[in-house]
Amino acid sequence: MFTKINDMVSGFVSILKGLAVTGKNMFRKPVTIQYPFEKPAMTARFRGLVDLYPEKCIACSQCVKICPTAALALETTTNPQTKKRAAAVFTYNGELCCFCGLCQEVCPTAAMYMNKCYEVAYYAHDDLTKIDLLKADKYAHLAPPKVKEQKT
Ligand code: SF4
Ligand code: SF4
């Protein structure tokens, strides 16, 4: 008899504890979002794909030398008027990249950086293995198709 009463009391306390947790969370703001209709903002230190400000690049090759996976390839040229080196061909292989950020750290002119791109699904192999860093719209082909309006 005493055991049964004890079980009933502990069961009731357990239900109250569960309801307290439910009540506490019922009016909280949700921590989840409706992806892909809503997109999260990446943090300042998030490392996406390697990107470049071509006008800042002095073709010093430091990023290429430090890259542990040989994901960067640079061919240089010399401007006949200014006699300065410049990047002629600069490619990035996103498939080899391990997102270590060393290229960004070593770049003396802050020309190289890791962007916030995290949606890197692609259709063709070359879309990710031969990215032309000198092109302004280099990642346009990786942009996901526009999500249709959510039907409610
Ligand atoms: S993030 Fe690392 S692996 Fe990727 S290109 Fe830069 S140095 Fe190479
Ligand atoms: S380290 Fe910076 S400046 Fe030098 S080649 Fe790489 S991107 Fe250009």
Side-chain angles (χ1 to χ4, degrees), residues 51-57 110-113 133 138:
D51 217 328
L52 183 80
Y53 297 115
E55 68 284 0
K56 285 188 179 180
C57 178
M112 189 154 279
Y113 66 102
L133 287 174
K138 57 186 91 67

Side-chain angles (χ1 to χ4, degrees), residues 50-54 56-66 72 74 76 85 87 90 102-113 133:
V50 168
D51 217 328
L52 183 80
Y53 297 115
K56 285 188 179 180
C57 178
I58 54 171
C60 65
S61 296
Q62 289 196 56
C63 54
V64 179
K65 284 179 194 154
I66 206 164
L72 297 166
L74 172 65
T76 60
R85 272 156 63 103
F90 206 165
L102 286 173
C103 52
Q104 173 185 261
E105 272 182 47
V106 80
C107 181
T109 60
M112 189 154 279
Y113 66 102
L133 287 174

Side-chain angles (χ1 to χ4, degrees), residues 24-33 38:
K24 207 168 91 183
N25 288 290
M26 194 178 281
F27 301 105
R28 276 194 181 162
K29 209 175 153 217
V31 292
T32 51
I33 59 163
E38 294 171 43

